[in-house]
């Protein structure tokens, strides 16, 4: 020790002044007390003093320690958990103030975001535990946003203190959105679900490869970035989504059907399929009217729209059929727009897709039921604990004073739910998949017979022919534009009236009221039965317009 009481500098230079040493010490302490630091000392010993440097070289102090790289340990500094590597790959130093690419995208490190999500979730859980059971969903989300803000602030300070380029405003915004989606939303899937130009999202994961395709509203198919880094990660993501709605996705339950936040429908399968596959259907048009179907979407003629609206007002039971993606759900919403606002409606769906209960300005009273799968052990009745079926929902609904019962989609034995609704009251509407208008009844007969051997073909036909009044069949096609782009067209191809018939070999008779013209679009045939014509006329149907259209299209219907 020197005579003045200072430790001598080993290189013969004067030591730091006290104020310089304290400044550096405080800088190191601020790093240690970061709310997200994980490398804290457990033995309570203070950090070592900074290295002794010359008075005139303050840039060598820890607070200006840009000389160290992100992978090196800084003297007197505890490593932060959020400083393993930059969350956003920093731009070159000379460009670090630039905005993201021209398309507005910011490249994110999703592996690191997953680590941050785990830390945020842990800290949020700790805060929620302190609050007890008094926290609402809104409060919980706000607390999560607060933790995210703390994280971003801590990381931003770390970038500056270590001499790395700071984030731009666009980068910070992208980070906050990604972390919020990872914690409360759909993670990497969220931006795709929010895109207005997307109709279907198709995901196929094969080991380490996760391919994503987007089917746009115009029918174009484009490739997108992966939403997971492997098939296992995608399975974990799907299992987490299912757990939020009490719908397990495991090797014992290898299929998953969900309604996502925002209303999109997800269908996924794994273990019993070659690869893990996901298809998400976005419902772009919820509040749609018959006028929009005629004039905006060119889906039918004005005469046909007038006919369908009169059928709805007259309480006719309608089945909308077509292949996958032909617009059946959108058409059900359009038909329901013709229901008088004072009528009380009940909807029955495996997953909410119609969303009539959300259109409160159009439908004043809607009671919406949704199927809930069981998740417990199978009881002696063969059902899992907690299961709530559509059959139970319809039985339950008879105490709700409903004017109409609308069963969403029929894919199998649930056709009996549709039949019960149609037999119990007027004006029921359902959808099913079929390859043609004539094949629709046969498809429903097959669905009915899936119930068991006690259901004969004769029984199924007699029930369906008596319950269904109208079948409308939809067609879809992707056609090229002159500029090389594509558009997806959907339209009504045919409308049949269904009646029981003891003379017909099939047990029922169908009459094409609207049939396809040379362009494949449904036009009037003139075969409308006088009794039905007069009934519909009382509900506003323009018979003269129907006759005029049929005369303008002679020979459209051949049977």
């Amino acid at each position: 020790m020197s005579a003045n009481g200072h430790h001598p500098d080993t290189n013969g230079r004067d030591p730091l002044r006290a104020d310089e040493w304290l400044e550096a010490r405080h800088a190191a302490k601020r790093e240690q007390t970061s709310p997200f630091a994980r490398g804290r000392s457990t033995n309570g010993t203070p950090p070592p003093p900074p290295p002794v440097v010359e008075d005139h070289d303050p840039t060598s102090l820890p607070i200006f320690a840009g000389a160290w790289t992100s992978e090196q340990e800084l003297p007197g500094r505890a490593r932060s958990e959020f400083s393993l590597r930059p969350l956003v790959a920093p731009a070159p130093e000379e460009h670090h103030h630039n905005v993201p690419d021209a398309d507005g995208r910011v490249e994110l490190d999703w592996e690191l975001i997953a680590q941050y999500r785990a830390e945020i979730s842990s800290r949020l859980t700790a805060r929620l535990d302190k609050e007890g059971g008094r926290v609402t969903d809104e409060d919980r989300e706000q607390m999560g946003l607060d933790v995210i803000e703390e994280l971003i602030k801590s990381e931003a300070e770390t970038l500056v203190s270590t001499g790395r380029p700071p984030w731009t405003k666009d980068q910070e915004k992208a980070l906050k959105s990604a972390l919020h989606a990872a914690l409360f939303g759909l993670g990497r899937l969220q931006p795709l679900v929010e895109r207005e130009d997307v109709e279907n999202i198709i995901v196929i994961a094969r080991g380490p490869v996760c391919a994503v395709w987007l089917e746009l509203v115009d029918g174009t198919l484009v490739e997108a970035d992966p939403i997971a880094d492997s098939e296992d990660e995608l399975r974990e993501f799907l299992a987490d989504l299912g757990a939020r709605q009490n719908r397990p996705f495991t090797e014992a339950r290898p299929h998953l059907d969900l309604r996502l936040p925002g209303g999109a429908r997800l269908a996924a399968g794994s273990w019993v399929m070659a690869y893990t596959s996901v298809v998400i259907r976005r419902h772009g048009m919820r509040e749609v009217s018959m006028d929009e179907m005629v004039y905006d979407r060119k889906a039918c003629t004005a005469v046909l729209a007038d006919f369908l609206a009169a059928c709805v007002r007259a309480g006719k039971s309608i089945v909308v059929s077509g292949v996958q993606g032909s617009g059946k759900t959108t058409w059900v919403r359009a038909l329901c727009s013709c229901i008088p606002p004072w009528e009380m409606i009940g909807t029955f769906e495996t997953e909410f897709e119609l969303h009539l209960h959300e259109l409160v300005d159009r439908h004043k009273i809607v009671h919406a039921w949704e199927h809930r799968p069981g998740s417990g052990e199978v009881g002696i009745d063969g059902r899992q604990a907690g299961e709530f079926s559509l059959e139970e929902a319809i039985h339950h609904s008879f105490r709700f004073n409903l004017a109409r019962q609308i069963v969403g989609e029929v894919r199998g034995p649930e056709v009996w739910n549709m039949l019960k609704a149609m037999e119990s009251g007027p004006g029921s509407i359902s959808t099913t998949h079929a390859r043609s208008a004539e094949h629709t009844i046969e498809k429903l007969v097959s669905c009915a017979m899936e119930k068991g051997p006690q259901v004969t073909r004769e029984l199924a036909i007699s029930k369906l022919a008596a319950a269904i009044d109208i079948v409308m069949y939809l067609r879809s096609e992707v056609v090229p534009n002159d500029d090389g782009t594509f558009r997806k067209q959907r339209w009504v191809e045919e409308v049949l009236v269904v009646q029981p018939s003891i003379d017909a070999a099939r047990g029922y008779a169908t009459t094409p009221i609207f049939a396809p013209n040379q362009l494949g679009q449904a036009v009037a045939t003139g075969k409308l039965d006088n009794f039905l014509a007069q009934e519909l006329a009382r509900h506003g149907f323009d018979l003269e317009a129907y006759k005029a259209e049929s005369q303008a299209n002679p020979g459209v219907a051949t049977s």
Side-chain angles (χ1 to χ4, degrees):
M1 180 177 293
S2 64
N4 60 8
H6 292 291
H7 290 278
D9 181 20
T10 56
N11 294 325
R13 291 176 296 185
D14 292 334
L16 286 175
R17 296 193 307 271
D19 58 339
E20 293 174 336
W21 188 90
L22 286 174
E23 181 181 3
R25 180 66 177 271
H26 290 162
K29 186 175 182 181
R30 283 196 296 272
E31 295 285 3
Q32 278 190 306
T33 56
S34 166
F36 299 103
R38 69 174 178 179
R40 302 183 188 278
S41 174
T42 58
N43 56 14
T45 58
V52 179
V53 293
E54 296 183 7
D55 291 355
H56 60 273
D57 189 18
T59 58
S60 298
L61 293 173
I63 194 170
F64 302 107
W68 285 283
T69 66
S70 60
E71 302 300 324
Q72 292 177 320
E73 191 71 41
L74 301 182
R77 176 175 180 265
R79 295 294 302 275
S80 167
E81 180 173 12
F82 298 101
S83 299
L84 300 175
R85 61 183 183 278
L87 186 60
V88 179
E93 187 172 351
E94 62 272 17
H95 299 112
H96 67 266
H97 291 295
N98 290 352
V99 298
D101 295 337
D103 60 2
R105 295 175 57 191
V106 174
E107 196 68 31
L108 298 174
D109 185 339
W110 288 102
E111 181 181 350
L112 201 58
I113 287 178
Q115 297 178 30
Y116 287 3
R117 179 193 182 280
E119 175 67 17
I120 294 171
S121 179
S122 175
R123 293 183 176 274
L124 178 58
T125 300
R127 296 190 184 186
L128 291 171
D129 288 343
K130 292 182 179 179
E131 297 292 333
R134 302 183 300 276
V135 179
T136 65
D137 290 341
E138 291 77 11
D139 291 339
R140 177 179 178 273
E141 186 167 354
Q142 184 57 53
M143 291 171 67
L145 290 173
D146 293 341
V147 177
I148 291 173
E149 288 289 343
E150 292 172 12
L151 181 151
I152 296 297
K153 182 178 180 181
S154 174
E155 274 296 284
E157 291 175 352
T158 301
L159 286 176
V160 174
S161 68
T162 56
R164 287 177 288 178
W167 292 323
T168 65
K169 291 183 178 180
D170 292 302
Q171 288 173 329
E172 284 201 12
K173 181 179 178 181
L175 286 172
K176 292 176 183 178
S177 297
L179 290 170
H180 181 267
L183 194 64
F184 299 106
L186 302 174
R188 297 164 71 172
L189 181 61
Q190 190 74 43
L192 302 182
V193 174
E194 292 176 351
R195 283 184 53 171
E196 296 294 332
D197 62 334
V198 171
E199 181 172 278
N200 291 305
I201 303 169
I202 303 100
V203 184
I204 299 179
R206 313 170 182 178
V209 178
C210 180
V212 179
W213 295 88
L214 306 178
E215 184 182 1
L216 307 183
V217 292
D218 63 358
T220 306
L221 197 65
V222 297
E223 194 168 4
D225 294 335
I227 64 168
D229 292 332
S230 67
E231 184 174 16
D232 287 340
E233 183 180 316
L234 180 61
R235 285 172 173 167
E236 292 177 7
F237 170 68
L238 293 170
D240 179 63
L241 287 183
R244 298 180 194 178
Q245 300 184 31
N246 194 32
R247 300 196 176 204
F249 184 62
T250 64
E251 196 164 356
R253 294 290 297 271
H255 57 85
L256 180 65
D257 294 291
L258 283 181
R259 173 178 48 88
L260 299 178
R265 182 194 69 197
L266 178 147
S270 189
W271 295 287
V272 293
M273 303 178 70
Y275 310 108
T276 300
S277 299
V278 183
V279 175
I280 299 168
R281 166 66 59 83
R282 289 188 69 259
H283 297 290
M285 294 187 67
R286 292 193 184 181
E287 193 168 357
V288 59
S289 67
M290 295 297 286
D291 283 346
E292 289 178 80
M293 301 304 287
V294 174
Y295 300 108
D296 297 340
R297 300 178 73 88
K298 313 295 183 185
C300 69
T301 67
V303 174
L304 177 51
D306 186 36
F307 171 84
L308 293 171
C311 287
V312 173
R313 290 191 293 267
K316 299 301 177 183
S317 291
I318 302 173
V319 172
V320 182
S321 66
V323 298
Q324 298 180 39
S326 56
K328 297 183 293 296
T329 302
T330 300
W331 259 108
V332 172
R333 296 193 193 106
L335 293 172
C336 289
S337 71
C338 303
I339 298 175
W342 59 82
E343 290 193 13
M344 287 178 277
I345 302 171
T347 61
F348 308 85
E349 302 177 86
T350 52
E351 297 85 31
F352 290 135
E353 293 186 79
L354 296 176
H355 300 287
L356 301 187
H357 56 284
E358 297 179 0
L359 306 179
V360 294
D361 292 335
R362 173 176 290 179
H363 306 289
K364 302 301 181 185
I365 302 177
V366 178
H367 302 289
W369 280 268
E370 185 180 40
H371 163 70
R372 183 182 67 195
S375 58
E377 295 182 358
V378 177
I380 58 175
D381 58 354
R383 300 177 55 195
Q384 285 191 320
E387 180 183 359
F388 182 73
S389 67
L390 293 184
E391 184 177 4
E392 290 176 289
I394 290 181
H395 181 76
H396 185 229
S397 72
F398 288 117
R399 299 291 178 87
F400 281 73
N401 196 31
L402 300 177
R404 296 176 190 256
Q405 295 169 302
I406 297 174
V407 178
E409 185 180 31
V410 173
R411 292 178 292 174
E414 62 268 20
V415 67
W416 289 99
N417 300 322
M418 181 197 79
L419 282 170
K420 182 178 287 188
M422 290 181 173
E423 291 174 343
S424 302
S428 184
I429 305 171
S430 296
T431 71
T432 193
H433 298 91
R435 66 169 185 253
S436 69
E438 282 287 344
H439 186 255
T440 300
I441 300 298
E442 293 298 322
K443 161 67 185 300
L444 294 174
V445 169
S446 299
C447 290
M449 295 177 67
E450 290 180 21
K451 189 72 171 180
Q454 72 276 15
V455 179
T456 64
R457 175 178 172 80
E458 291 73 18
L459 174 62
I461 288 176
S462 65
K463 287 282 190 180
L464 290 165
I468 299 173
D469 298 309
I470 304 292
V471 169
M472 57 180 295
Y473 185 77
L474 311 180
R475 178 73 67 181
S476 65
E477 184 178 297
V478 177
V479 297
N481 294 318
D482 294 336
D483 60 359
T485 60
F486 296 86
R487 70 183 187 277
K488 191 170 188 177
Q489 292 182 327
R490 300 180 178 91
W491 67 92
V492 182
E493 183 182 65
E494 193 169 3
V495 176
L496 306 178
V497 170
V498 182
Q499 294 175 314
S501 175
I502 60 174
D503 297 328
R506 294 179 299 178
Y508 62 94
T510 58
T511 304
I513 304 303
F514 291 82
N517 60 11
Q518 292 181 344
L519 299 177
Q521 298 173 336
V523 294
T525 64
K527 294 191 174 184
L528 182 60
D529 163 283
N530 185 61
F531 179 80
L532 178 59
Q534 295 303 318
E535 183 182 7
L536 296 180
R538 291 195 298 272
H539 289 86
F541 180 47
D542 189 345
L543 286 177
E544 294 304 319
Y546 177 79
K547 293 176 182 178
E549 185 174 275
S550 65
Q551 292 170 0
N553 295 275
V556 168
T558 58
S559 60

